[in-house]
Amino acid sequence: MPADGTSPHHHLARWCLGAGIVATISANLAHGLGHGPIGALVSAWPAQALAGSFELLMTLIRTGHRASAARSHPTSTSPLVPMMEHDALPALTEAPGLEQAVRARRNAGHSQRAIARELNIDRRKVKRIIDQPALAHP
């Protein structure tokens, strides 16, 4: 893959997308010409608006992915300490209060997704707490 992050097929895909947009706008313009220049512009407008909106959406998605990738990769790590994801921590490190809160909500009939949303934790963590046997706390 090139240094700019594009695949070899990236340029072909862009060219095909551009050709499709131009063909659609041209067909809409030709169809609207029977109603004069304003009719042609009004006919071409929806295709242009769709293409512009799609490009705006893709720009937002790309910048969001870059921002989340920058947050998830620390700038410096020690080679002696292996990196662990926050979900890979053993269940024994869970706070007893969190475990009790999850189990109480589960017993009340809440779904894993609702529990995760209420406690602001990952749903996989909720599942791990529910699936493990209850720990006896003194």
Side-chain angles (χ1 to χ4, degrees):
M1 188 178 297
D4 64 354
T6 60
S7 70
H9 305 290
H10 178 73
H11 299 292
L12 178 61
R14 278 191 177 236
W15 188 88
C16 289
L17 177 63
I21 291 170
V22 168
T24 301
I25 291 173
S26 299
N28 287 358
L29 278 171
H31 178 75
L33 277 176
H35 300 284
I38 296 199
L41 290 175
V42 168
S43 291
W45 177 80
Q48 178 61 37
L50 177 65
S53 298
F54 181 75
E55 184 56 36
L56 178 61
L57 174 65
M58 292 308 298
T59 300
L60 291 172
I61 290 171
R62 284 185 210 111
T63 57
H65 280 289
R66 286 185 198 127
S68 66
R71 282 192 307 264
S72 67
H73 297 300
T75 55
S76 66
T77 59
S78 169
L80 302 176
V81 180
M83 291 292 296
M84 290 183 69
E85 290 186 19
H86 69 284
D87 292 331
L89 295 174
L92 296 176
T93 64
E94 304 290 343
L98 178 63
E99 180 181 334
Q100 289 172 352
V102 168
R103 291 186 187 283
R105 284 175 171 77
R106 183 61 175 180
N107 291 338
H110 294 268
S111 69
Q112 291 179 12
R113 183 170 287 136
I115 295 169
R117 187 174 45 245
E118 290 170 9
L119 298 176
N120 198 25
I121 59 175
D122 189 65
R123 191 175 62 84
R124 293 172 292 193
K125 187 180 282 189
V126 171
K127 180 175 178 6
R128 190 172 57 237
I129 291 171
I130 291 171
D131 288 347
Q132 75 183 5
L135 298 176
H137 295 290

